[in-house]
């Protein structure tokens, strides 16, 4: 057996919510029988973004905020890979906001786990786009990624989990991996992953989370209804968790499927001259 | 007048007047007559209205630059005359659309093209084809071939479009034939250049990318780079490739980085503003050792600058871009064939050395059309470096994505290779790809990366030399200045003033091994470039300070590209 | 042993062990004794865990660098010994926390700090204060003043925190007093440096910004720049200023551009990755002639690199960043007083010349603490250039935001000035600010902008010279290398080997008028910098090629900053 | 009278929807009695973004996609100015998406007019984020800025207008200018502004637009209801126009008001040393 990069021990503070994501991801990948060499974990920059170092998988440490652009590139170039992007709320919703919104629209079949701790952990606790008013002087209303995700008309899987609830996490992550492996498009999971050092919300969140599937009228195929359920839940001071959108569409709607059908794609094409010679000569002959 | 061996027609008007169509039709005709053709344009960054002009030049000799004088000027607006008159040759003549304005110039004839065509066809926009018709009379074109050009050009649009254009042609011809003294005013000598293609640098780059094995492209529209993406949108999908218009340049460069990680051959193309935005991404590729090619179609900077105009002022940025230090190769093609072949080189170099390769182009090279020898797929060689397949990996005991090696190149097994995983990062890392702050490792990794610029030296595109080896006046240039410099050399040669021209094709790392001997061989060297500070000359001074006294800069940064006489005039030793 | 006139203590442990607190407490004590103090740190880019260390140095002479040897090492983890032992002076000693591990070294004593404190106070985290207590015994500190330091440091947190720290102090003292042969093992000579402040470059920049009239700051967190934003969040709002944490660096730089347009004095601060992202924005400011200051707190690059570690490898990027060409000034302070005063200079220069001014710092300068003379507000002068008020505008017949003038500076009337409007753009424009592709205007506008770099020459921060004018060995440096270079000079002077040091404070445009005479005056000049390619030396070679043979590079790029002996060792003429 | 930069003639193609925006803006500014020298027009890069050249106002031509960041900077530095940002759909929803979303969250009192023609006009007709599937090969579902605007929890004014309906445009622009001059926060107007050259949708849009205020249950203070109305309207193949959100809050909630209260702000502060000396000395004395 060839020796390959070994995982290093997590660099997180003891008790950090990110441990939950790591454990759940390990479990879900195993349950979904993804070979480690077929799984690509794209990490952001932040405490959360180092997650790929702690697993025996292909890992690419992207630039701050660019993990989704890189992840989409990976998937389109080799649709055979299972691609999971994971990073922080600062990474995803501040510097990465443009790519975040466009990821729903592009709808490539990748999983994105945004590890939301309502702060910038690695740079020591500044407010992030999801921070509450008053946190470290924050005066802007917190961004709600689920509401915005629901506003983008594309057949994405949308969910929120909580690191204090590993069972749901594993189930949702498993569903998301499966969803993307079926080529059905973008699967977004916001995981509430407390930063015990700068913003310890474990207790608060445990009290506040509310599983939307328990709310009367729950129908994850109906954007408009879910938008209302989420807003109402938030108005009651609770945080909705669970699957917020599970598209009706079951066909492989993923961008890579639309672009490539069943072709192998750029990474696995034979690019030597011989097999392509006829096509090349045709192209060149068309020059006038 | 004797037949012209080198003819130039300029067509000016408001955006939407169809000046580009006239130059295109003329170009097609001249090519049928075995001439070398160069067409260029000078447009505003707006869709309609505002003055714009197009030029076509045809010659019995190879050319890749505008002529310094205009033989015939076609004016659809007054501004065309204001601008064009100063360039008109002493024997030159002006045809103008008298629907739009009147001119008192002695060497000008007005035709109410718009009115004539509008009356006959109901649509004045065909006035451009009428002007082509009038020109065909002025130059004494063969009527059948003149017509054939229209048929070729409009056959795809077919039906009514073709018919109306043919009618407009006749209207123009008739008007010119009826005007006194215009018929056969000039004649153009036929040439013997055949089996050439008419293409732009952008198209050549797109073709080079495909044939060089490029299969993943992401970009964002920007003048003058957009056509590369547009060509690839046609070329790549049938080959199983992917082209994406990204949401911005940050996404574009990061998408190709992700795709490169999987082992695909990738490229993006952009111009100055997009390039600036890609700075962080290019540095990431350099550190993470992910091969990418970035084509920069330079235009007038800084900032939004002049989007449609010509400059070569991105070189300093390219050579130094990015915080920290990482290796990069900057290669600069000078002709369409260069564009084709060096895009392949760029892909090979990027993958072999696992570095970002920056393909530096300029607006004139990108968008002007040149007659070019056909591209030769036989000369293309795809070299993937130490790329590991599953079988090769199985033979290993260890797989380290950043392994220190004698050659300076680490083998790479893309994700999906059974048994191994690629751990890739833009943080400083050890051989395994694990984040590391160990000072010894840091120093080794820096050297590993930076020494690629030394070790790859002999694989980088070589400079080309033109002119006698004993000439004492040197000229150095890159990119589209190739055309006017070669032309200047020819003129000077004829005057008995030989020069030696080094066409640099690798600009960074500066090919000292090529340029130093060249500098030593001449008394003085003129570095011709389109920027204010003499960017390539600055790089030469930094790397070959001992030769600095020989260096002179010939600079132009007004948005237009050099013409041969300007270069000659700037060299006192021969001017 | 005689009293130490220059003492260094290193404290290593896992992130969260509180090593920084120990160095801070020691620093406070030494300052009370009239010593110059320098504290530095070596931390990982992670919040807890992983090895990190802090160092404190105190001396009777001014210092701004680490000592090359460690007198006493405090180890909370095994790694501290692995790393620190090699730096330990021959007479050095190690105190370690035997709760964590055991050591057999002869010159080491273990104390179960964590257990002792944990037992008595319930919280082992106070072990760091216990270590401070033990150190106070080892160095024979005055007990009352040792205690007073704790009181000062924890008075703001008050109550329980203060009480527990005081108890931990006593626990540490007691343990050390009971250990054989440790008490008064060393003594440190008192100094006579008083009325100094202890500050970092980042804090000094923030203060300079406020006093220089800076009222608008937008930034994005990034190590090692974040503290500038954090200080300003405290300083600015009471003065009617605005500080915003933006959504990213693109927003930050564009927000300050917008604010600058209104006439406010603005700044952003960042480090490499953010700087790369700001490339396009900085070029926009340069073209639109909107004054901005960008502070770059350089860290180890390229890409994400080593976020917490030291380097000076952004200079080439700063000098060349951006597509196209636009003017910029790069100024590089070397001390906290420089940081304060040159931030004011940067604001004045930016507004007078309407250019981007790049304030180049480095991690050591930004984050290490130095004893510094107090900043003198009397030396601060706010110069707003040709800024037009409503009254002044009323006297004009025309107002052109980009007027061509003899001085090269155009007067500016911000929006809101009755009767005029500012038309500002990053496209090429005429004097009115209207988009223009006129070639003559283009050339004039390029010259207008670029010549600022020539015309402003005598207003740019001047280099400083140290050492005898007839010394034949020259040293050139910038930024935090000031400290170790000055120290090296002092050592060499004492050895009878004089050197002359030019501290460059303007790096770009290269102050040829300062450096050329300097180079001419010496036989050889060592350019000391923290990067791989010798970035400043490259700029010198480019601009003064005739002097190139005298230039030598002294480079370090392993993430740590120079110590004086390293510089001495690199200069064969004196080493 | 001092002579200042004169407007230049519009560079748009005859019939371009952007003429409508120009005319309406002129009218609305006049009606709201904004002095030309107190009005700042921040243009994006695109055909649309050149609008500031065609009016007698302060104009700043921002970078492509950065107009909102610059506009927010203008407002925070001088809250006395009336700030209108105007640019294209490519500028705002592609490269500018991150700043777009954050503009709602920041809630500075500026007007933003996104001139949506469902294409990149100035670069000659490529698909933009709002392009329909099939337009120039587009395979991504169009982004709907109104739905996403409604998903961001902040008291913004949100509206859509149509260049073919100048009356509504003038009214809505007037309301937006007034809203921001009262310091109430961010006012977003998407104007449907057809590109007659590359994507002539005039006729189609004229048929499709539906004034939401006519829909039963219309209540622009209720995000959730408006979300439903918009989705339903779209499901019927129509394009909702009108005011989609008019916050209940009437207090000056704008970011500049929160930060500065009634202070003049950075641009108008006296920064000479004298008047500030005492404060400066206090700051410097605090150094230990
Ligand atoms: C371009 C750029 N800007 C800033 C940084 C500095 N930086 C590193 S991590 C981080 C934010 C981390 O916050 P988040 O994404 O929420 O991750 P967390 O640490 O909370 O998991 C920042 C701003 C960077 N690395 N790159
Ligand atoms: C950073 C950058 N990338 C690309 C461009 C090229 N560019 C100019 S305008 C434009 C898009 C215009 O589309 P839109 O914003 O919708 O405006 P429209 O022309 O349709 O009004 C682009 C991509 C640029 N100027 N800067
Ligand atoms: S700082 Fe916060 S987010 Fe980072 S590792 Fe520690 S607990 Fe987790
Ligand atoms: S191209 Fe389209 S958007 Fe641009 S001016 Fe013409 S009609 Fe308007
Ligand atoms: Mg976070
Ligand atoms: Mg548009």
């Amino acid at each position: 057996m060839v020796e390959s990069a070994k995982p290093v021990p997590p660099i997180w503070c003891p008790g950090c919510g990110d441990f939950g994501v790591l454990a759940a991801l390990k479990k879900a990948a195993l349950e979904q029988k993804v070979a480690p060499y077929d799984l690509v974990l794209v990490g952001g920059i932040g405490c959360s973004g180092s997650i790929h170092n702690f697993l025996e998988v292909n890992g690419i440490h992207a630039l701050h905020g660019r993990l989704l652009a890189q992840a989409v590139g990976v998937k389109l170039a080799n649709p055979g890979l299972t691609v999971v992007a994971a990073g922080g709320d600062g990474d995803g919703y501040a510097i990465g906001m443009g790519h975040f919104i466009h990821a729903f629209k592009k709808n490539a079949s990748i999983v994105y786990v945004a590890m939301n701790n309502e702060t910038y952990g690695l740079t020591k606790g500044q407010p992030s786009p999801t921070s509450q008013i008053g946190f470290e002087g924050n005066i802007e209303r917190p961004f709600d990624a689920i509401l915005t995700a629901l506003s983008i008309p594309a057949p994405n899987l949308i969910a929120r989990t909580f690191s204090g609830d590993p069972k749901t996490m594993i189930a949702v992550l498993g569903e998301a991996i499966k969803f993307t492996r079926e080529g059905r498009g973008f699967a977004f999971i916001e995981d509430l992953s407390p930063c015990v050092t700068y913003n310890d919300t474990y207790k608060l969140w445990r009290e506040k989370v509310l599983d939307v599937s328990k709310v009367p009228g729950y129908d994850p195929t109906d954007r408009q209804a879910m938008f209302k359920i989420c807003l109402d839940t938030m108005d009651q001071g609770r945080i909705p968790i669970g699957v917020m959108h599970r598209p009706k569409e079951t066909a492989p709607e993923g961008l890579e499927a639309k672009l490539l059908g069943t072709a192998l794609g750029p990474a696995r094409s034979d690019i030597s001259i011989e097999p392509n010679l006829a096509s090349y000569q045709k192209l060149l002959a068309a020059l006038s | 007048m004797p037949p012209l061996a080198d003819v130039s027609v300029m067509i000016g008007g408001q955006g939407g007047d169809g000046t580009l169509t006239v130059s295109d039709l003329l170009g097609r005709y001249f090519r049928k007559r075995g001439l070398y053709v160069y067409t260029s344009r000078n447009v505003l960054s707006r869709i309609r209205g505002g003055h714009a002009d197009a030029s076509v030049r045809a010659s019995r000799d190879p050319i890749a630059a505008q002529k310094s004088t205009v033989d015939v000027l076609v004016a659809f607006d007054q501004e065309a005359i204001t601008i064009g008159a100063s360039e008109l040759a002493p024997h030159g003549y002006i045809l103008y659309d008298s629907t739009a304005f009147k001119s008192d110039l002695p060497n000008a004839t007005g035709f109410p093209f718009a009115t004539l065509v509008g009356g006959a066809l109901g649509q004045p926009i065909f006035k451009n084809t009428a002007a082509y018709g009038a020109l065909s009379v002025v130059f004494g074109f063969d009527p059948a071939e003149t017509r054939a050009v229209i048929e070729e050009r409009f056959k795809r649009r077919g039906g009514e479009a073709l018919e109306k254009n043919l009618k407009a042609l006749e209207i123009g011809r008739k008007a010119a034939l009826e005007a006194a003294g215009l018929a056969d005013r000039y004649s153009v000598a036929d040439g013997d250049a055949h089996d050439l293609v008419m293409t732009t640098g952008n198209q050549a780059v797109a073709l080079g990318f495909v044939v060089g094995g490029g299969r993943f492209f992401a970009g964002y529209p920007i003048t003058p780079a957009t056509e590369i993406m547009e060509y690839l949108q046609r070329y790549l999908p049938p080959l199983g490739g992917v082209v994406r218009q990204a949401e911005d340049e940050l996404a574009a460069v990061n998408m190709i980085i992700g795709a490169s990680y999987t082992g695909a051959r990738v490229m993006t193309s952009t111009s100055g503003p997009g390039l600036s935005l890609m700075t962080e991404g290019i540095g990431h590729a350099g550190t993470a050792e992910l091969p990418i090619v970035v084509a920069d179609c330079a235009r007038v900077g800084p900032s939004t600058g002049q989007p449609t105009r010509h400059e070569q002022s991105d070189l300093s940025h390219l050579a130094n871009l990015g915080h920290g230090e990482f290796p990069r190769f900057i290669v600069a093609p000078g002709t369409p064939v260069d564009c084709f072949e060096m895009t392949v080189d760029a892909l090979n170099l990027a993958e072999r050395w696992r570095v970002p390769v920056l393909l530096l182009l300029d607006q004139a090279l990108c968008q002007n059309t040149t007659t070019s020898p056909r591209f030769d797929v036989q000369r293309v060689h795809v070299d993937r470096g130490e790329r590991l397949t599953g079988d090769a990996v199985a033979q290993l005991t260890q797989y380290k994505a950043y392994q220190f090696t004698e050659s300076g190149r680490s083998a790479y097994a893309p994700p999906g290779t059974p048994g191994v995983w690629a751990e890739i990062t833009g943080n400083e890392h050890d051989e395994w790809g694990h984040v590391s702050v160990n000072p010894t490792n840091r120093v080794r990794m820096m050297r590993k990366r930076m020494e690629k610029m030394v070790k790859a030296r002999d694989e980088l595109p070589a400079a080309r030399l033109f002119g006698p080896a004993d000439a004492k006046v040197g000229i150095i240039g890159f990119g589209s200045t190739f055309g006017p410099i070669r032309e200047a050399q020819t003129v000077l040669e004829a005057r008995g003033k030989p020069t030696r021209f080094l066409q640099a094709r690798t600009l960074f790392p500066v090919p000292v091994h090529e340029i130093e001997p060249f500098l030593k061989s001449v008394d003085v060297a003129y570095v011709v470039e389109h920027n204010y500070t003499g960017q390539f000359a600055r790089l030469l001074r930094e790397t070959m300070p001992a030769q600095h006294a020989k260096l002179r800069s010939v600079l132009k940064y007004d948005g237009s590209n050099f013409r041969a006489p300007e270069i000659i005039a700037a060299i006192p030793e021969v001017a």
Side-chain angles (χ1 to χ4, degrees), chain A, chain B:
Chain A
M1 263 279 296
V2 38
E3 183 190 359
S4 195
K6 283 191 193 40
V8 298
I11 59 164
W12 297 314
C13 311
C16 176
D18 297 352
F19 282 102
V21 181
L22 179 64
L25 186 60
K26 222 166 176 164
K27 199 87 193 287
L30 214 72
E31 285 182 12
Q32 296 298 322
K33 303 198 173 54
V34 192
Y37 57 82
D38 274 340
L39 180 59
V40 172
L41 203 49
V42 187
I45 299 289
C47 294
S48 42
S50 57
I51 189 167
H52 63 98
N53 288 304
F54 316 144
L55 280 173
E56 236 170 45
V57 293
N58 296 289
I60 169 163
H61 208 161
L63 285 167
H64 189 45
R66 312 296 159 208
L67 82 180
L68 284 172
Q70 294 198 2
V72 169
V74 171
K75 187 69 184 182
L76 296 183
N78 186 348
L81 298 169
T82 301
V83 182
V84 178
D89 47 325
D91 189 286
Y93 308 152
I95 191 167
M97 180 65 93
H99 312 308
F100 176 62
I101 303 289
H102 277 274
F104 292 91
K105 193 173 140 45
K106 284 188 189 129
N107 204 32
S109 299
I110 59 173
V111 180
Y112 174 38
V113 186
M115 292 143 87
N116 179 8
N117 52 16
E118 297 187 357
T119 189
Y120 287 61
L122 192 57
T123 49
K124 300 183 188 282
Q126 294 82 11
S128 84
T130 50
S131 292
Q132 302 301 313
I133 290 179
F135 175 77
E136 291 289 325
N138 177 43
I139 56 173
E140 296 181 18
R141 287 175 173 73
F143 173 73
D144 190 274
I146 297 294
L147 290 180
T148 299
L150 287 170
S151 79
I152 303 161
N156 320 118
L157 184 72
I158 302 171
R160 183 183 274 138
T161 58
F162 172 40
S163 279
D165 174 3
K167 235 185 68 198
T168 319
M169 283 179 78
I170 295 165
V172 172
L173 260 167
E175 176 172 354
I177 291 174
K178 186 157 174 288
F179 185 86
T180 61
R181 280 161 68 91
E182 289 167 2
R184 291 172 62 195
F186 184 53
F188 169 57
I189 304 174
E190 173 173 287
D191 184 64
L192 301 171
S193 178
C195 169
V196 295
T197 300
Y198 295 111
N199 192 21
D200 191 351
T201 46
Y202 253 123
K203 206 167 139 273
L204 187 77
W205 284 354
R206 208 177 286 284
E207 286 159 15
K208 284 192 152 193
V209 292
L210 181 90
D211 183 346
V212 282
S213 73
K214 310 275 160 65
V215 177
Y218 173 73
D219 175 1
T221 66
D222 181 347
R223 257 167 218 287
Q224 186 273 312
M226 288 307 303
F227 193 81
K228 179 168 162 51
I229 288 178
C230 289
L231 264 183
D232 290 348
T233 307
M234 291 162 71
D235 282 349
Q236 292 154 30
R238 306 289 300 268
I239 306 173
I241 61 169
V243 174
M244 274 74 171
H245 193 66
R246 182 180 287 127
K248 289 198 202 79
E249 297 85 341
T250 54
E253 269 259 16
L255 181 61
E256 71 294 341
K258 284 196 200 168
L259 287 171
L260 289 164
T262 56
L264 287 175
R268 294 176 294 175
S269 301
D270 183 350
I271 60 167
S272 50
I273 301 288
E274 249 76 287
N276 294 292
L277 193 60
S279 314
Y280 293 167
Q281 278 169 337
K282 222 174 103 195
L283 273 182
L284 295 177
L287 279 185
S288 62
Chain B
M1 250 183 78
L4 297 165
D6 183 3
V7 63
S8 151
V9 180
M10 182 172 181
I11 309 103
Q14 294 286 299
D17 277 348
T19 56
L20 284 176
T21 308
V22 181
S23 75
D24 181 56
L25 294 170
L26 288 173
R28 284 166 187 262
Y29 181 88
F30 289 133
R31 287 192 52 218
K32 282 180 177 290
R33 311 301 300 194
L35 296 168
Y36 292 91
V37 174
Y38 184 76
T39 75
S40 57
R41 52 181 153 175
N42 175 14
V43 300
L44 291 176
S45 180
R46 61 189 281 184
I47 300 305
R48 290 215 198 125
H51 180 78
D53 49 64
S55 292
V56 58
R57 178 183 183 186
S59 167
R60 288 180 53 85
D61 293 321
I63 43 162
Q66 278 149 273
K67 202 174 151 183
S68 57
T69 55
V70 169
D71 296 305
V72 176
L73 171 67
V74 178
F76 288 110
D77 63 4
Q78 179 75 59
E79 222 173 323
I81 296 198
T82 320
I83 291 173
S86 67
E87 302 194 8
L88 204 65
H91 64 257
Y93 205 78
I94 300 171
L95 305 182
Y96 67 94
D97 189 338
S98 56
T99 321
F101 65 96
K102 299 268 166 273
S103 168
D104 293 335
L105 291 173
N107 55 343
T109 303
F111 296 93
F113 289 129
T115 320
L116 290 172
V117 196
L121 305 173
Q123 280 158 295
I125 56 156
F126 294 106
K127 65 186 177 189
N128 54 358
T129 305
Y132 166 65
L135 285 167
S136 75
V137 170
V138 173
F139 283 113
F141 285 179
D142 175 80
E145 272 193 298
T146 305
R147 226 182 128 83
V149 160
I150 299 273
E151 279 160 358
E152 275 168 32
R153 166 72 203 254
F154 295 102
K155 70 167 172 276
R156 272 220 308 203
R157 287 175 43 213
E160 211 193 350
L162 175 55
E163 200 183 306
K164 289 198 166 167
N165 275 291
L166 286 170
K167 281 195 183 137
L169 169 72
E170 291 314 324
I171 291 169
R173 287 185 56 83
K174 182 154 171 279
L177 285 167
E178 285 167 3
L182 274 189
D184 302 324
R185 191 179 172 93
Y186 306 96
S187 66
V188 182
D190 282 359
D192 49 16
H194 296 287
D195 198 35
L196 297 176
V197 294
M198 188 81 193
T199 186
T200 61
N202 277 348
Q203 186 171 23
V205 167
L207 287 165
F209 182 65
V210 174
V211 175
R215 287 296 179 273
F216 188 95
F217 180 95
Y220 187 74
I222 190 164
T223 307
T226 313
E227 296 91 3
I228 296 179
M229 178 164 74
E230 288 171 345
Y231 282 117
L232 290 173
Q233 273 160 344
R234 286 183 4 219
Y235 300 157
L236 270 188
L239 291 161
V242 166
V243 182
R244 288 312 290 158
Q245 180 182 314
E247 62 270 33
D248 60 17
E249 289 89 350
L250 299 162
V253 73
N254 281 284
M255 279 169 75
I256 67 166
I257 288 172
S260 168
Y261 172 65
T262 70
R265 289 203 153 183
V266 305
M267 181 170 77
T268 184
S269 65
T270 187
S271 186
L275 181 69
S276 283
L277 287 172
M278 290 183 185
T279 301
E280 193 198 16
I282 296 170
H284 186 64
T287 318
E289 302 198 35
L290 291 174
I292 62 171
V293 176
V294 177
D296 173 30
C297 304
R299 67 189 208 188
V300 172
S303 196
T304 311
Q306 297 180 337
T308 55
R309 315 215 63 201
H310 173 79
E311 201 162 276
Q312 299 182 307
S313 58
D314 294 352
L315 174 59
S316 298
H317 175 62
L318 287 169
N320 293 283
L321 68 77
H323 61 283
E325 295 159 304
F326 59 91
R328 72 202 75 189
F329 305 146
I330 305 176
V331 299
T335 63
V337 171
D338 268 358
C339 285
F340 176 76
E341 294 184 355
M342 289 170 68
T343 302
V344 179
D345 292 342
L347 289 165
N348 285 339
L349 286 165
E351 192 167 9
R352 273 177 65 74
W353 293 94
R354 306 195 66 73
V355 289
V357 178
L358 311 171
L359 189 66
L360 179 56
L361 310 159
D362 54 56
Q363 185 274 334
L365 182 62
C366 289
Q367 296 193 308
N368 292 347
T369 56
T370 322
T371 34
S372 162
R374 290 196 172 275
F375 305 147
D376 185 358
V377 73
Q378 306 300 340
R379 294 177 54 138
V380 172
H381 172 63
V382 172
D383 179 349
R384 309 212 64 181
E386 288 82 2
R387 188 185 156 93
L388 295 172
T389 58
D391 292 347
V393 162
Q395 310 302 315
L396 301 175
T397 53
Q398 281 190 332
Y399 168 65
K400 297 170 172 176
Y402 297 107
Q403 187 149 24
F404 294 120
T405 62
E406 194 60 32
S407 68
R409 300 190 302 268
S410 312
Y412 187 66
T417 310
V420 292
W421 23 92
E423 195 59 62
I424 294 293
T425 175
N427 286 57
E428 191 54 277
H429 45 258
D430 61 18
E431 288 176 277
W432 295 104
H434 288 142
V435 170
S436 164
V437 292
N438 179 301
T440 314
N441 175 76
R442 159 71 183 171
V443 170
R444 279 188 84 185
M445 272 297 163
M446 272 301 281
R447 290 192 182 145
K448 170 187 199 291
R449 287 190 296 264
M450 296 301 281
E451 284 171 5
K452 292 179 187 181
M453 291 198 285
V454 178
K455 293 183 171 160
R457 194 187 85 167
D458 296 332
E459 297 180 20
L460 297 171
R464 292 214 181 94
L465 288 163
F466 301 90
D470 60 354
K472 288 297 156 200
V473 172
I475 305 176
I476 296 175
F478 63 92
S480 71
T481 59
F482 174 83
I485 293 174
R486 288 291 293 131
E487 191 177 330
Q489 278 196 298
T490 311
V491 173
L492 290 172
E493 184 88 51
R495 292 193 199 152
K497 302 202 164 158
T499 56
R500 192 142 204 251
F501 165 38
L502 182 142
Q503 181 207 358
R505 299 199 312 147
T506 295
L507 306 188
F508 194 86
V510 175
V512 173
H513 63 294
E514 297 175 335
I515 299 182
E516 199 162 44
F518 175 80
L519 288 177
K520 287 191 177 148
S521 79
V522 293
D523 292 338
V524 60
Y526 288 82
V527 188
V528 178
E529 45 187 328
H530 282 283
N531 54 56
Y532 179 95
T533 58
Q535 299 189 355
F536 194 45
R538 285 166 53 206
L539 279 175
L540 301 184
R541 213 166 278 128
E542 175 198 318
T543 49
M544 289 163 282
Q547 304 299 322
H548 81 276
K550 290 185 179 171
L551 296 170
R552 311 270 183 282
S553 279
V554 179
L555 304 173
K556 189 174 189 193
Y557 49 90
D558 70 354
S560 67
N561 48 337
F562 276 114
R563 288 148 200 223
E566 294 172 326
I567 293 171
I568 294 172
I571 305 181
E573 286 82 355
V574 294

